[in-house]
């Protein structure tokens, strides 16, 4: 019984290995079916769902709004509650279904309030210019000594068997005008197999003394543009290099072989491109 319990828990855990970019909601009924004989098991998976959502910067829709807001450790209040600076509200999250509820007023309290609000406005412009759809936020952290700037863009295409996620996390420290963090890209293609791209780009830079919110976001935009260009070059190299090596090489004629007619081919001329004697 213990062994079976561990086995079901392993396969029901959405954070097993590295969490793929996906919504947990469509898989929740399957997880319930897997754990039907162990009702306590589903409840025990709560921390795993929470870890996945916070690490992946999951987004939830606030009740009565079309706005998607970020769930992360940087805007956590405890007891599954989080807050959003732009809407000045807090909300509770069901981590298994990624649903928000219990919305309450939550004004921002920070000595850097003006900078944070300005950062969010500049982030909004940045997102509209460079992302088809994305969620973003800025939050005071580390006892109000730093600001976490988050951006996440998701693209789910299950009908075409792929999902993708872009995550940016920057920590801006006002006292030193330093910006650090990382950009993570995760793309999963799973038609007739599994191909997955996982990248992580560490960020560390300094800005001029007391930069404006616009200056900070301009620096972020430059960093992200440069990384996007690096990824594009890497994709080109993969297509002409590693991926090409995985594919069966075409004959010298550069035409596909019709395998159902293979018995009728003249080996030298039709397949090899040479002349028959």
């Amino acid at each position: 019984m213990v062994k079976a319990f561990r086995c079901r828990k392993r396969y029901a855990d959405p954070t097993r290995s590295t969490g793929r970019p996906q919504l947990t909601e469509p898989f929740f009924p399957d997880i319930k079916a897997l754990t039907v004989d162990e009702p306590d098991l589903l409840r025990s998976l709560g921390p795993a769902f929470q870890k996945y959502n916070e690490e992946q910067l999951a987004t939830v829709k606030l009740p009565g709004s079309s706005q998607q807001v970020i769930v992360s450790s940087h805007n956590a209040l405890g007891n599954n509650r989080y807050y959003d600076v732009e809407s000045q509200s807090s909300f509770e999250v069901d981590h298994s279904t990624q649903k928000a509820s219990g919305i309450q007023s939550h004004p921002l309290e920070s000595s850097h309030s003006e900078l944070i609000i300005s950062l969010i406005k500049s982030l909004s412009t940045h997102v509209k210019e460079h992302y088809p759809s994305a969620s973003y936020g800025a939050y005071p952290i580390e006892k109000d000594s730093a600001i976490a700037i988050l951006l996440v863009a998701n693209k789910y295409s299950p009908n075409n068997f792929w999902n993708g996620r872009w995550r940016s996390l920057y920590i801006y420290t006002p006292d030193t005008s330093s910006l650090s963090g990382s950009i993570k890209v995760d793309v999963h293609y799973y038609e007739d197999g599994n191909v997955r791209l996982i990248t992580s780009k560490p960020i560390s830079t300094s800005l001029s003394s007391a930069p404006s919110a616009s200056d900070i976001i301009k620096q972020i935009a430059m960093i992200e543009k440069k990384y996007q260009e690096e990824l594009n070059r890497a994709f080109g190299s993969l297509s002409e290099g590693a991926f090409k090596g995985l594919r069966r090489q075409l004959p010298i004629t550069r035409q596909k072989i019709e395998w159902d007619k293979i018995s009728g081919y003249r080996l030298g001329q039709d397949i090899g491109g040479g002349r028959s004697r």
Side-chain angles (χ1 to χ4, degrees), residues 4-61:
F5 179 91
R6 289 175 178 170
C7 182
R8 282 196 291 271
K9 185 174 182 180
R10 177 174 181 265
Y11 284 100
D13 187 347
T15 66
R16 186 169 60 89
S17 184
T18 52
R20 295 171 179 82
Q22 61 189 19
L23 289 164
T24 61
E25 182 184 358
F27 304 101
F28 188 63
D30 297 331
I31 294 174
K32 288 181 70 175
L34 283 170
T35 59
V36 65
D37 295 331
E38 300 287 348
D40 292 336
L41 176 55
L42 191 60
R43 286 190 291 271
S44 73
L45 289 173
F49 283 116
Q50 179 178 351
K51 179 182 177 183
Y52 174 85
N53 288 334
E54 291 184 352
E55 288 183 352
Q56 295 295 317
L57 304 184
T59 59
V60 297
K61 186 181 295 185

Side-chain angles (χ1 to χ4, degrees), residues 66-160:
S66 60
Q67 181 182 7
Q68 294 277 351
V69 297
I70 292 176
V71 173
S72 78
S73 60
H74 300 292
N75 61 328
L77 297 172
N79 296 322
N80 296 326
R81 292 196 67 85
Y82 300 82
Y83 73 96
D84 175 59
V85 172
E86 191 170 19
S87 63
Q88 295 194 38
S89 60
S90 69
F91 50 93
E92 184 175 355
V93 173
D94 183 330
H95 287 287
S96 61
T97 61
Q98 293 180 336
K99 298 289 186 182
S101 61
I103 191 168
Q104 298 176 1
S105 175
H106 189 89
L108 175 64
E109 295 182 1
S110 170
S111 59
H112 304 295
S113 294
E114 291 185 7
L115 176 58
I116 291 172
I117 292 171
S118 296
L119 281 169
I120 290 175
K121 290 181 180 179
S122 296
L123 266 175
S124 175
T125 302
H126 169 63
V127 164
K128 290 176 182 177
E129 290 179 354
H130 298 285
Y131 294 89
S133 177
S135 297
Y136 52 88
Y139 316 97
I141 60 171
E142 299 174 6
K143 297 180 179 180
D144 207 25
S145 65
I147 301 170
I149 303 170
L150 308 181
L151 187 155
V152 58
N154 300 306
K155 186 70 174 180
Y156 305 117
S157 187
N159 291 336
N160 294 309

Side-chain angles (χ1 to χ4, degrees), residues 161-210:
F161 305 99
W162 64 265
N163 297 316
R165 176 172 293 146
W166 172 294
R167 287 174 289 160
S168 299
L169 165 61
Y170 305 97
I171 305 299
Y172 174 67
T173 305
D175 287 348
T176 59
S177 297
S178 62
L179 188 71
S180 61
S182 65
I183 301 173
K184 296 181 179 180
V185 176
D186 190 344
V187 180
H188 182 211
Y189 181 79
Y190 49 92
E191 182 178 18
D192 297 328
N194 271 291
V195 178
R196 191 174 178 198
L197 169 74
I198 303 175
T199 72
S200 181
K201 173 77 172 180
I203 304 299
S204 181
T205 187
S206 295
L207 292 87
S208 59
S209 179

